[in-house]
């Protein structure tokens, strides 16, 4: 069971994806082509990373002629998302602790 | 955008009676939840106290007790040590459900009510103030954290 907050964390856990997002944040906007020019990965790879970021709600795509321009969406971030992910991780740890105690002979 | 609840579950190779005891008896709760002991008055409306050696004390209030099947309480997970009475708006609801599965137990936990916690003015102000530069610093911190979680 993954929550939207977790999707955000999964999206950010990949270093290249994080660089894609950081570049977008710094530049204000970008296309797969402009981002690929600044990163050591192919345009196709950037397109895939943008799709993951899009699913997590971290970028917004806007079609302009033949190009798709991306901007960063900050709403999924912030304290709230951090809390949610941290809390989910805490519950996982607690459930595992209960399981261990329960299964001790 | 932020979900209002967290759902987690696990299958345990032990009978529901044993899992129930671990969930509801203070001597056990003090081992898997707090790390410095706990107190539970196991009846609806009963008081709960959870203690951590480093983080202080949290207070909870028991909501439902159905032996071997359901246990729920409200607590204020983000209050400072010293803690207030857990009420709607400053607390979340934690609900455990136990289901017999063969000789074992499926234990499910749902913690809900985050949306009301997050709707504080402080949080909105924080979001509104976040300029692009501040956001880049924040996402950096978030990334390190995400890698730990995803690991």
């Amino acid at each position: 069971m993954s929550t939207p907050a977790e999707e955000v964390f999964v999206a950010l856990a990949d270093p290249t994806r994080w660089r894609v997002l950081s570049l977008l944040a710094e530049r204000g906007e970008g296309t797969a082509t402009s981002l690929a020019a600044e990163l050591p990965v192919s345009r196709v790879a950037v397109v895939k990373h943008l799709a993951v970021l899009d699913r997590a709600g971290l970028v917004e795509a806007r079609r302009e002629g033949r190009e798709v321009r991306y901007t960063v969406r900050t709403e999924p971030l912030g304290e709230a998302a951090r809390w949610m992910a941290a809390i989910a991780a805490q519950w996982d740890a607690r459930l595992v602790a209960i399981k261990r105690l329960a299964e001790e002979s | 955008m932020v979900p209002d609840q967290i759902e987690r579950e696990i299958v345990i190779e032990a009978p529901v009676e044993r899992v129930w005891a671990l969930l509801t008896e203070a001597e056990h709760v003090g081992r898997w939840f707090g790390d410095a002991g706990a107190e539970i008055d196991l009846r609806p409306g009963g008081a709960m106290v959870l203690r951590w050696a480093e983080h202080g004390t949290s207070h909870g209030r028991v909501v439902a007790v159905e032996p071997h099947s359901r246990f729920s309480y409200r607590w204020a997970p983000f209050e400072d040590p010293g803690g207030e009475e857990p009420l709607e708006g400053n607390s979340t609801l934690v609900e455990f459900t136990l289901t017999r599965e063969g000789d074992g137990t499926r234990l499910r936990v749902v913690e809900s009510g985050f949306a009301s916690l997050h709707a504080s003015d402080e949080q909105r102000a924080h979001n509104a103030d976040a300029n692009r530069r501040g956001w880049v610093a924040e996402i950096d911190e978030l990334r390190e954290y995400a890698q730990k979680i995803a690991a």
Side-chain angles (χ1 to χ4, degrees):
Chain A
M1 272 170 287
S2 73
T3 64
E6 283 173 291
E7 266 182 49
V8 169
F9 279 77
V10 168
L12 293 177
D14 181 278
T16 305
R17 239 172 356 251
W18 171 74
R19 288 202 64 194
V20 168
L21 199 59
S22 294
L23 268 178
L24 278 179
E26 282 164 26
R27 304 281 186 269
E29 63 168 27
T31 64
T33 308
S34 75
L35 292 164
E38 296 193 65
L39 294 167
V41 293
S42 69
R43 184 183 174 283
V44 172
V46 171
V47 168
K48 284 180 186 164
H49 287 307
L50 285 167
V52 175
L53 293 168
D54 196 17
R55 275 201 297 281
L58 287 163
V59 295
E60 190 165 271
R62 197 177 73 253
R63 185 163 283 282
E64 219 168 71
R66 288 188 313 172
E67 283 189 313
V68 181
R69 296 194 164 274
Y70 290 88
T71 50
V72 170
R73 292 184 69 243
T74 57
E75 291 91 308
L77 296 167
E79 290 295 311
R82 213 178 317 194
W83 276 349
M84 297 299 280
I87 292 161
Q90 280 178 342
W91 277 119
D92 282 339
R94 288 175 194 141
L95 292 181
V96 168
I98 293 171
K99 181 180 167 75
R100 287 207 186 114
L101 288 170
E103 292 176 359
E104 274 173 11
S105 59
Chain B
M1 183 53 61
V2 175
D4 191 45
Q5 67 175 41
I6 284 168
E7 301 176 19
R8 282 288 183 268
E9 64 177 32
I10 199 165
V11 174
I12 298 174
E13 302 299 322
V16 289
E17 292 79 7
R18 173 148 179 83
V19 177
W20 177 259
L22 288 166
L23 280 179
T24 58
E25 290 173 12
E27 58 170 298
H28 297 303
V29 174
R31 290 173 71 193
W32 63 263
F33 204 146
D35 59 12
E39 291 164 30
I40 301 178
D41 180 6
L42 192 61
R43 58 184 173 85
M48 282 178 67
V49 181
L50 302 161
R51 293 198 184 84
W52 283 266
E54 288 182 11
H55 310 297
T57 302
S58 271
H59 293 270
R61 187 65 65 183
V62 177
V63 175
V65 181
E66 292 172 24
H68 308 159
S69 85
R70 201 160 71 94
F71 173 49
S72 65
Y73 58 85
R74 298 198 73 86
W75 74 315
F78 306 118
E79 290 300 321
D80 289 332
E84 294 171 39
E85 174 69 12
L87 303 167
E88 301 260 352
N90 79 346
S91 68
T92 54
L93 178 68
V94 176
E95 295 174 280
F96 292 101
T97 311
L98 293 77
T99 314
R100 210 177 287 275
E101 216 171 80
D103 295 335
T105 304
R106 182 175 291 272
L107 174 62
R108 176 181 163 83
V109 61
V110 178
E111 183 165 11
S112 61
F114 293 100
S116 57
L117 290 176
H118 292 159
S120 72
D121 289 346
E122 194 186 336
Q123 184 64 39
R124 276 197 288 270
H126 174 81
N127 292 344
D129 283 352
N131 59 25
R132 186 179 298 165
R133 193 173 158 158
W135 185 79
V136 170
E138 177 157 303
I139 198 173
D140 203 1
E141 191 182 314
L142 206 52
R143 174 181 154 254
E144 281 179 27
Y145 190 75
Q147 285 174 330
K148 273 188 232 154
I149 287 187

